[in-house]
Amino acid sequence: MNLEGKVALITGSSRGIGATTAIKLAQTGADIVVNYPFEAERENAETVVAKITELGRRAIMVEANVADFTRAKELIEKSLEEFGRIDILVNNAGITRDNLLLRMKEEDWDAVMDVNLKGVFNCTKAVARTMMKQRSGKIINLASVVGIMGNAGQANYSASKAGVIGFTKSIARELSSRGITANAVAPGFIESHMTENLPEDVKEAMLNSIPLQRFGTQEDVANLICFLASKEADYINGQVINVDGGMVM
């Protein structure tokens, strides 16, 4: 996979899957826009940018809360000012506010929907005209297996990710005639600071639901995103691909 000459924007890429994806895309030749949501994440974003420049690729970082349409539009505009084009948009930014339905606050529902679903709409709408003029583009949205199967205590998160799946399929139908593909990646249980802190009995129960008997890694997810961003995936469109070790199967 060779992304030489391509420009990739990854939302929420100051840490986690977003940061790993940004670095992986740079390793395959792309120049990168690192997005972070607020000032507290600036140092992490600087670290990601430094790693990318060490690879010999160009990188900038832009602070923007993608839940705000104006800020999302500014994110796209600043990226275009620097690079002149955007070939790959990875809508990765996401948050959780988990709770059982009867205890879930309205603001927790709204916050998750605003970032996880509206943020995908905001950034995709803002970049669509540019990609249509280019007659090329790759839009890759981060969904989740819970958007497919649901999960107790995550009604807001599950609904937002199910929305991402429906949105992805719809824009794939709308934009394909202009050479733009849209696909969703649905991670399962991925190793992170959250899974490290789980009680052992909870970890064991989770692992027993995964045929491969291990949690996924951030690299597992980033590898698929890089493939979908490449020319090798040009005929893959409107798909939801699970990275879950066979759990949902």
Side-chain angles (χ1 to χ4, degrees), residues 81-243:
E81 285 172 12
E82 179 67 25
F83 294 112
R85 62 186 296 114
I86 299 171
D87 301 286
I88 301 153
L89 171 65
V90 181
N91 282 308
N92 166 77
I95 62 170
T96 57
R97 295 286 188 275
D98 295 350
N99 216 330
L100 295 174
L101 176 62
L102 294 182
R103 297 176 184 170
M104 187 174 290
K105 298 176 182 177
E106 182 182 2
E107 53 264 36
D108 292 335
W109 174 274
D110 289 345
V112 169
M113 285 296 179
D114 283 350
V115 175
N116 295 9
L117 184 53
K118 187 183 176 189
V120 174
F121 163 79
N122 288 343
C123 291
T124 304
K125 181 175 172 63
V127 83
R129 195 174 300 278
T130 293
M131 287 186 170
M132 289 171 75
K133 287 179 180 177
Q134 294 170 180
R135 299 195 72 84
S136 67
K138 304 274 190 170
I139 299 169
I140 302 159
N141 299 325
L142 267 290
S144 169
V145 294
V146 302
I148 299 168
M149 65 181 194
N151 197 31
Q154 288 193 308
N156 50 2
Y157 187 77
S158 299
S160 72
K161 294 302 186 178
V164 168
I165 289 171
F167 179 81
T168 301
K169 291 176 179 290
S170 296
I171 63 168
R173 291 183 180 276
E174 286 189 26
L175 302 178
S176 296
S177 64
R178 298 299 183 95
I180 301 164
T181 63
N183 293 287
V185 173
F189 292 122
I190 304 300
E191 286 178 353
S192 67
H193 64 282
M194 289 186 290
T195 53
E196 286 171 5
N197 296 328
L198 289 172
E200 286 305 314
D201 59 331
V202 174
K203 276 189 183 179
E204 185 177 353
M206 290 166 67
L207 285 170
N208 285 338
S209 70
I210 303 170
L212 280 182
Q213 290 287 288
R214 71 168 177 87
F215 293 127
T217 67
Q218 293 174 6
E219 287 75 15
D220 289 328
V221 182
N223 287 337
L224 175 57
I225 293 170
C226 284
F227 170 67
L228 290 173
S230 73
K231 183 173 177 58
E232 284 78 3
D234 278 356
Y235 203 57
I236 299 174
N237 190 33
Q239 301 304 305
V240 182
I241 304 177
N242 295 358
V243 187

Side-chain angles (χ1 to χ4, degrees), residues 3-69:
L3 296 176
E4 194 86 27
K6 303 295 186 182
V7 176
L9 189 166
I10 306 95
T11 67
S13 47
S14 57
R15 58 189 172 96
I17 290 172
T20 301
T21 298
I23 293 166
K24 180 70 70 172
L25 287 167
Q27 288 172 341
T28 57
D31 294 324
I32 305 295
V33 180
V34 175
N35 162 247
Y36 62 107
F38 37 73
E39 184 61 28
E41 282 293 317
R42 183 179 183 86
E43 188 174 340
N44 289 334
E46 288 173 343
T47 299
V48 177
V49 167
K51 289 179 179 178
I52 291 167
T53 54
E54 286 173 8
L55 294 168
R57 308 312 313 171
R58 293 171 61 197
I60 63 168
M61 59 187 209
V62 182
E63 179 184 350
N65 176 4
V66 298
D68 183 321
F69 181 76

